Amino acid sequence: MKAFRNLIPPLSMAAMALVPFAASAGTITMSVTYYTIAETDRDMGHLAYGTFSNEVQSTLGPDGLPVLNTAAHGCISDCFTNVPFPTDLTASGEITWWSPSLNNGGSGGVSDVVQTGTGSITLPYLNTTFFPPTGTGPNDTSGFQAAVFSTTLNVPSAEAIAFNLGSDDDAFVYLDGRVRLPIGWRACRCSGHLHIEYRHGGQPQARIVLCRYPTTTGKADI
């Protein structure tokens, strides 16, 4: 799978809870929750540019959202230092681009994130126009797309699982609540690969969080 967190405004994934879609060797289906972040959100278009692998902490926060990996929020080593930092945060440092109830990026500190729909995708998945409201819009002139993709993987025996992720902009892959493939970037298209050996099988829960920033392109590739 590819695309966990795509940070361009029309693509923020916020539904972090894994939905009961069972993924097995043949067909893998992921549930999707779509969010639109307002054009005027204080983070959109105002963050550090570049490619980052340490923007979020290794585990999800208490509300199931990625946590900014800075010293102010508990980071001890390999902290994220590229300013300006995201400011749409909870007190514990969770990034709220995927939460209409917790977001505070609008004027006066109110939420400007709206859930715009739900659906499902089948892997492999490629969308080169991932814009609001549900990854089907023509551009990001009316908001920025965010989304959360989730599934439960059925791994009945020892097996190797490979994750391929490509997005424009930010994407984070979590397995059982721990980040496995953190790719943060602005104004560029990036990709990553992860290879994991499951020695005893199981049912790991996979979650991909994406958010798009202001750009002329939008990509989600899983």
Side-chain angles (χ1 to χ4, degrees), residues 4 24 36 51 74 91 123 146 180 194 200 207 213 222:
F4 200 144
S24 56
T36 296
T51 303
L123 302 185
R180 297 291 187 172
L194 173 68
H200 304 290
R207 182 176 302 172
Y213 285 140
I222 303 172

Side-chain angles (χ1 to χ4, degrees), residues 93-108:
E94 289 178 279
I95 303 171
T96 61
W97 299 323
W98 308 275
S99 177
S101 62
L102 295 176
N103 181 266
N104 56 4
S107 177

Side-chain angles (χ1 to χ4, degrees), residues 68-145:
L68 187 65
N69 189 36
T70 59
H73 299 294
C75 175
I76 298 176
S77 63
D78 191 29
C79 301
F80 184 67
T81 58
N82 299 75
V83 294
F85 293 143
T87 57
D88 291 9
L89 304 174
T90 66
S92 60
E94 289 178 279
I95 303 171
T96 61
W97 299 323
W98 308 275
S99 177
S101 62
L102 295 176
N103 181 266
N104 56 4
S107 177
V110 301
S111 176
D112 58 4
V113 173
V114 178
Q115 180 179 325
T116 53
T118 59
S120 63
I121 63 165
T122 299
L123 302 185
Y125 174 74
L126 174 62
N127 184 344
T128 57
T129 57
F130 200 61
F131 297 108
T134 56
T136 57
N139 53 52
D140 57 12
T141 59
S142 60
F144 301 107
Q145 185 72 67

